[in-house]
Amino acid sequence: MAAVSSFRYSTGEITTAEKAKSFSWEAPIPVNRFWDSFSYPTARNFLANFSDHELEQLAVDPMGINPDDTTDQQKKLQLLLQLLRNKLAKEEAAISPPQSFYEVDYKRWNGIWQGIYTLENELDLPQAEETVRMLVEKRLDDSNVIPIHLLAEHLVKIWKYKEAEETARSVYEWMVSRPHLGKHSPQALNARRIIAKALWGQGPSRRSEAEALVAEIHELVYGMGGSKFAIYQEEEARLNEEMVAGLNLVIKKSY
């Protein structure tokens, strides 16, 4: 990405890539007026689908991305969604029938559709649920839990709390069983926050479970300091406080 001198990562930190190299899910987001208004996941899920050369072309295209653009956020989101839809159409047109883009290059197909879902979700478009369910149904590998994780998060957003709880529990169980993740990983913590929100949303009969889980998540974040995920501790604490405020809870800390 030409002319970009600094980047941010999922912690919000503006830094070099050295610390991020330890975690495969990290990707650099340019620091400029255009991208600074986007959350890390939204920016990453768009940028991951374009080469540096393609991004350079988008930066000079009048219908592309202006790094100094401070346009209304909804218009920016709509622009990114259209650019991804254009890329999907281009990729599909390059494949000769009877094969499909999905069959020829599932990884790229999945990446573009994941980016499309992320933007549909940000824009609160009704087709977002259909898109994320499609991503789950069309997985080639059962160990790819990212679409299921996205689905669980979306189900909480649209108040389908029971299904969200069941979906997120399966994601969490998979994550804690993987050596490169485990219970202190940001992904596992996020899955547990989804479960807590889903429990809370099911009403008074489940709220004591939600409160106990939230307290447990706080303890896990407190214990991150001595783990390989210590770099994420501050950001995870912020996300916990955001969750607590959203549920209107008062959590008693034992530390």
Side-chain angles (χ1 to χ4, degrees):
M1 285 169 276
V4 178
S5 58
S6 57
F7 302 90
R8 62 183 164 102
Y9 294 86
S10 66
T11 60
E13 185 179 9
I14 299 172
T15 183
T16 65
E18 289 308 308
K19 291 181 180 178
K21 286 179 181 176
S22 300
F23 305 102
S24 61
W25 54 82
E26 289 287 357
I29 307 303
V31 174
N32 59 42
R33 291 179 181 178
F34 185 90
W35 291 111
D36 289 353
S37 63
F38 290 93
S39 69
Y40 173 81
T42 300
R44 178 197 59 197
N45 286 338
F46 175 88
L47 291 167
N49 290 294
F50 295 86
S51 67
D52 286 351
H53 175 70
E54 288 174 319
L55 291 171
E56 287 168 7
Q57 292 300 307
L58 287 176
V60 298
D61 186 336
M63 301 302 291
I65 296 170
N66 177 359
D68 295 319
D69 190 356
T70 56
T71 289
D72 173 79
Q73 187 67 6
Q74 292 293 102
K75 291 182 179 178
K76 286 187 181 181
L77 288 164
Q78 289 163 356
L79 169 64
L80 296 187
L81 179 57
Q82 188 58 55
L83 290 172
L84 272 179
R85 286 174 173 166
N86 292 346
K87 185 168 181 64
L88 178 65
K90 182 179 178 180
E91 297 283 1
E92 289 177 334
I95 306 299
S96 299
Q99 289 187 303
S100 67
F101 179 32
Y102 168 80
E103 294 169 320
V104 171
D105 195 337
Y106 168 77
K107 185 176 181 180
R108 288 173 66 195
W109 176 92
N110 182 70
I112 293 174
W113 270 111
Q114 188 171 306
I116 288 172
Y117 161 71
T118 301
L119 292 161
E120 289 177 344
N121 184 50
E122 286 275 339
L123 286 162
D124 293 321
L125 299 182
Q127 62 263 41
E129 181 181 359
E130 181 182 352
T131 299
V132 73
R133 287 189 185 278
M134 177 194 71
L135 286 169
V136 171
E137 291 169 5
K138 301 193 79 169
R139 291 179 303 146
L140 290 182
D141 181 357
D142 288 343
S143 69
N144 176 16
V145 299
I146 294 174
I148 307 176
H149 200 165
L150 293 174
L151 174 61
E153 206 162 36
H154 189 71
L155 290 169
V156 166
K157 180 180 178 179
I158 60 175
W159 309 325
K160 295 184 178 182
Y161 296 117
K162 181 63 177 173
E163 185 183 359
E165 178 197 349
E166 294 168 353
T167 304
R169 286 191 186 281
S170 68
V171 172
Y172 174 73
E173 288 167 8
W174 184 91
M175 287 175 173
V176 296
S177 70
R178 294 304 183 271
H180 70 292
L181 295 174
K183 64 182 181 181
H184 287 103
S185 67
Q187 293 86 346
L189 289 167
N190 186 55
R192 300 205 88 185
R193 278 190 287 266
I194 294 171
I195 296 168
K197 292 173 188 176
L199 288 169
W200 186 265
Q202 289 176 61
S205 65
R206 307 296 303 278
R207 287 185 176 169
S208 61
E209 293 176 70
E211 290 174 353
L213 181 53
V214 170
E216 186 177 330
I217 297 167
H218 272 274
E219 294 282 355
L220 285 168
V221 171
Y222 179 72
M224 287 177 79
S227 77
K228 64 181 179 181
F229 300 111
I231 188 175
Y232 295 104
Q233 187 176 39
E234 185 176 342
E235 173 65 5
E236 293 301 318
R238 184 191 68 78
L239 291 171
N240 278 357
E241 295 306 323
E242 205 174 79
M243 171 184 60
V244 166
L247 299 180
N248 196 27
L249 286 173
V250 176
I251 297 299
K252 294 179 180 179
K253 298 177 182 178
S254 60
Y255 49 86

